[in-house]
Amino acid sequence: TIDDLQFIAKLSYAEQSKRQQDVEFANQLSFSLDMKIKTRYIKGIDNKCKAVINGVLYDISYVDTTKTEAYLYMQEVGSLA
């Protein structure tokens, strides 16, 4: 449940298109790229974290960062009750 997760941050985001090279990259790292989002960069968000969007739990499988932004490559885990 969501109560079992430790809260780190609430972030605004924009869903990004998944390019063919993103999907191939995910396959090389052995995960399914179900969603890719862009958000502001904050310390502490890494590939050990989870994300909850609209009641759906995602593993953050890869994080690509710039000085101000983070692109999160995520694999769906399932719905939260």
Side-chain angles (χ1 to χ4, degrees), residues 3-34:
D3 295 330
D4 298 326
L5 302 174
Q6 178 185 357
F7 179 80
I8 296 176
K10 185 174 187 176
L11 299 169
S12 59
Y13 68 93
E15 190 168 349
Q16 302 293 293
S17 61
K18 298 178 281 189
R19 304 170 299 175
Q20 182 62 34
Q21 64 196 51
D22 295 330
V23 173
E24 291 170 4
F25 175 74
N27 288 338
Q28 289 174 353
L29 294 181
S30 301
F31 71 90
S32 170
L33 181 58
D34 296 317

Side-chain angles (χ1 to χ4, degrees), residues 14-59:
E15 190 168 349
Q16 302 293 293
S17 61
K18 298 178 281 189
R19 304 170 299 175
Q20 182 62 34
Q21 64 196 51
D22 295 330
V23 173
E24 291 170 4
F25 175 74
N27 288 338
Q28 289 174 353
L29 294 181
S30 301
F31 71 90
S32 170
L33 181 58
D34 296 317
M35 183 181 283
K36 177 183 171 185
I37 64 170
K38 177 174 75 171
T39 189
R40 66 183 170 88
Y41 171 75
I42 65 166
K43 245 183 174 173
I45 304 292
D46 60 26
N47 65 346
K48 296 178 188 93
C49 295
K50 310 262 188 221
V52 178
I53 299 175
N54 298 328
V56 177
L57 179 65
Y58 294 90
D59 280 331

